[in-house]
Amino acid sequence: MKHGKMSLVIIKMMQIQFLITFQIPSSGTFMLVFLEKRTKTKQNSNAWKTTGIKISCNTKRNLYLLCRESNDPKLKTYYRNYCKTLSKVITSAKNMYYNNKLANSSNKPKTTWSIIKTITNNKKNCNNILMMQIDGKVTTHYQTIAENFNHYYVSVTDNINNNKSTTDNSNKINLLNYLYSAFKQSFTNITVKNTTMYEIEKIIKELKIKKSCGYDDIMARILKISSPFTVSPLTCICSRMLTIGTFPDRLRFSEIKPIYKKGDKTLLTNYRPISLLPVFSNIFEKVIYKRLYYHLTSNNILVKEQFGFRCNNSTDTAIYTLINSKLSSLNDKILVGGLFCDLKKAFDCVNYDILPLEMKFYGTVGVAHKLMESYLRNRYQSDYKCLQYDFLLMGRGAAWSAKGFILKTAHNIISTVLLYMWFRASSRLFKK
């Protein structure tokens, strides 16, 4: 929605919430605006149905009523032929509508899945958690369920690390020895440049409008509307973060929403967590991501076989590269084989004592290294409790649990880049 259509009503509550998020003393300098309430029209699932098809459907209904009251064989034959023709016209109209929808879409994979769900009438499953098995007993107490979810997600990383046979010191020594033997030349140190109002404004414009929000209850839509008034203070805070190398404490709090995967719905292990961070966190993380990603790509640290979350690369290019290399080998009469590995809980398996050492090796030193450690460490989470109709935030009534050095609660983009850095050494070793 454009700023010209908004109601210029200053709301102190939004201003106070913004200041509380960053713990800024209230000075009355920053002003926010709010939209007037508007109703959203329901999306028509039969948009392919033209006026001619609607008239033909009514005609078909009238012919059906006539055939039911009549025994004329010619009329019944005409009705059957009419139904076949109408069915072909409807199929053709649907194909034309969905083809145009795909052609005009900027996100074709998302549009494809949306069309599939519409055709198959695959509605969202209800994710309400009414009961859960805790210590072998079924409970319906929402507070107990939320606290156990919280404890499970916090301790899952520790349980994985405790099952490792090798010690951390030996892992550190082996990794560093391998890195120094594999790379004869050292990497250049990362350069962290301050941000600008133009960069912050561009990041805000690129944010996707979602209904979800963090513990501060500020959605991306509100941030987009109020961007003319918040760009300046956000640029100031972000530049301060890049200068001193400290990620804002108030942006390390995430609220976890358990999503059902498969199996018994009363088992904690059958739910995967979704981390809901404050919308302001997305801005700060994308600023860090741009600088980190530029350093990694300019120094060729990321391997070319990595296709996910990279510009001009996708699953399509990965599939094309795989098929093309296999077909070329077959044409050259070379024996082809494939080995496919699926990393279970990849983010949880990262050794967070070794990761900072590897980041230093790749040139993330000084203020940048301090910033990344500040970004990853001392994170906190609180779980949802689920009622019969909707999720209610658990952070209001339950204590926040310390996540320590956990990559999964961080932003997906930065987390993925750090994960690539972690597995880079393994991939090179596997090639050898």
Side-chain angles (χ1 to χ4, degrees):
M1 300 180 183
K2 296 182 179 179
H3 299 293
K5 296 182 180 180
M6 67 178 71
S7 175
L8 297 176
V9 180
I10 302 174
I11 52 170
K12 284 289 181 183
M13 191 168 67
M14 285 293 299
Q15 178 183 349
I16 293 170
Q17 186 64 59
F18 172 79
L19 298 175
I20 288 174
T21 302
F22 294 100
Q23 294 182 330
I24 304 173
S26 179
S27 59
T29 305
F30 311 128
M31 298 166 58
L32 299 177
V33 293
F34 195 73
L35 270 178
E36 57 186 13
K37 187 175 180 181
R38 300 193 178 193
T39 56
K40 188 177 180 180
T41 56
K42 188 176 180 181
Q43 189 175 4
N44 185 15
S45 59
N46 294 330
W48 51 267
K49 192 178 287 187
T50 62
T51 304
I53 292 177
K54 291 178 181 179
I55 295 173
S56 298
C57 289
N58 291 331
T59 305
K60 174 188 170 183
R61 175 65 179 172
N62 294 331
L63 287 173
Y64 169 75
L65 295 175
L66 289 174
C67 289
R68 193 172 63 176
E69 301 295 333
S70 174
N71 293 324
D72 187 359
K74 292 183 179 180
L75 180 61
K76 292 185 178 182
T77 303
Y78 178 78
Y79 172 71
R80 285 193 296 269
N81 293 333
Y82 190 88
C83 290
K84 291 179 181 179
T85 304
L86 180 59
S87 179
K88 292 179 180 179
V89 171
I90 290 175
T91 301
S92 179
K94 285 183 178 180
N95 291 336
M96 187 181 299
Y97 170 74
Y98 292 131
N99 287 335
N100 291 334
K101 193 173 181 180
L102 274 173
N104 298 326
S105 173
S106 58
N107 190 345
K108 288 181 171 53
K110 184 177 180 180
T111 306
T112 301
W113 282 111
S114 176
I115 293 172
I116 292 173
K117 288 179 181 179
T118 302
I119 295 174
T120 59
N121 197 23
N122 188 5
K123 296 182 179 179
K124 230 177 196 178
N125 294 328
C126 180
N127 200 48
N128 297 328
I129 304 172
L130 303 178
M131 61 180 66
M132 193 63 57
Q133 287 188 31
I134 308 296
D135 297 330
K137 297 181 181 179
V138 177
T139 180
T140 57
H141 190 256
Y142 302 119
Q143 184 82 13
T144 304
I145 294 174
E147 289 175 354
N148 277 272
F149 265 119
N150 213 8
H151 176 72
Y152 171 71
Y153 292 138
V154 168
S155 60
V156 63
T157 305
D158 297 332
N159 295 334
I160 292 174
N161 291 332
N162 291 336
N163 292 330
K164 294 179 180 179
S165 57
T166 57
T167 61
D168 290 339
N169 291 331
S170 63
N171 282 336
K172 293 179 184 178
I173 296 172
N174 292 336
L175 175 69
L176 292 176
N177 289 338
Y178 168 72
L179 288 175
Y180 283 110
S181 62
F183 302 95
K184 302 300 181 183
Q185 297 180 349
S186 60
F187 294 94
T188 58
N189 294 338
I190 188 173
T191 303
V192 180
K193 297 181 180 179
N194 279 341
T195 186
T196 61
M197 291 181 62
Y198 173 77
E199 182 182 10
I200 299 297
E201 188 175 7
K202 185 179 179 182
I203 292 173
I204 293 176
K205 287 182 179 179
E206 292 174 352
L207 289 176
K208 295 181 180 180
I209 298 179
K210 297 181 180 179
K211 293 182 180 179
S212 58
C213 57
Y215 71 92
D216 56 1
D217 295 331
I218 298 178
M219 296 182 292
R221 183 174 66 94
I222 302 298
L223 182 59
K224 283 177 173 285
I225 294 170
S226 61
S227 62
F229 306 93
T230 57
V231 165
S232 178
L234 285 174
T235 305
C236 180
I237 299 170
C238 193
S239 296
R240 182 66 176 167
M241 173 194 70
L242 296 174
T243 303
I244 64 176
T246 302
F247 194 77
D249 292 337
R250 303 291 291 181
L251 301 183
R252 302 183 200 180
F253 290 80
S254 61
E255 286 182 332
I256 306 300
K257 180 177 179 180
I259 302 296
Y260 172 72
K261 296 186 296 183
K262 59 181 180 180
D264 190 354
K265 287 190 175 183
T266 61
L267 295 179
L268 296 173
T269 54
N270 291 332
Y271 290 82
R272 62 182 178 89
I274 289 182
S275 180
L276 299 178
L277 291 163
V279 66
F280 296 108
S281 181
N282 294 343
I283 300 172
F284 287 73
E285 290 167 356
K286 285 188 177 182
V287 170
I288 299 173
Y289 163 76
K290 286 184 176 181
R291 285 144 182 80
L292 180 62
Y293 185 76
Y294 176 79
H295 173 72
L296 297 177
T297 53
S298 60
N299 288 278
N300 296 321
I301 296 175
L302 296 180
V303 294
K304 64 179 183 179
E305 290 82 8
Q306 177 55 53
F307 295 93
F309 298 96
R310 300 186 68 178
C311 296
N312 303 320
N313 284 280
S314 64
T315 53
D316 295 335
T317 52
I319 293 171
Y320 169 78
T321 304
L322 176 65
I323 295 175
N324 185 58
S325 63
K326 303 312 173 191
L327 290 177
S328 300
S329 299
L330 290 173
N331 290 334
D332 296 335
K333 297 182 179 180
I334 299 174
L335 184 63
V336 177
L339 179 62
F340 300 91
C341 301
D342 182 19
L343 299 174
K344 184 179 181 181
K345 296 187 180 296
F347 288 97
D348 295 325
C349 294
V350 174
N351 190 312
Y352 300 105
D353 293 322
I354 297 178
L355 180 59
L357 298 177
E358 190 173 356
M359 292 171 63
K360 269 189 176 181
F361 178 83
Y362 288 127
T364 309
V365 296
V367 177
H369 187 268
K370 181 183 176 184
L371 176 60
M372 294 310 302
E373 282 204 330
S374 172
Y375 168 75
L376 291 169
R377 292 189 186 274
N378 300 323
R379 286 187 168 266
Y380 295 84
Q381 74 173 31
S382 181
D383 219 317
Y384 277 80
K385 66 176 179 179
C386 181
L387 295 182
Q388 186 173 0
Y389 299 105
D390 200 2
F391 285 103
L392 296 181
L393 293 179
M394 193 59 193
R396 310 297 185 265
W400 293 84
S401 299
K403 289 288 287 183
F405 199 123
I406 301 299
L407 196 61
K408 184 179 285 186
T409 58
H411 193 265
N412 188 33
I413 297 178
I414 299 181
S415 309
T416 309
V417 171
L418 294 177
L419 188 67
Y420 297 160
M421 292 176 63
W422 167 250
F423 286 114
R424 174 178 164 79
S426 301
S427 64
R428 289 179 65 91
L429 183 62
F430 180 76
K431 281 184 176 182
K432 291 186 177 183

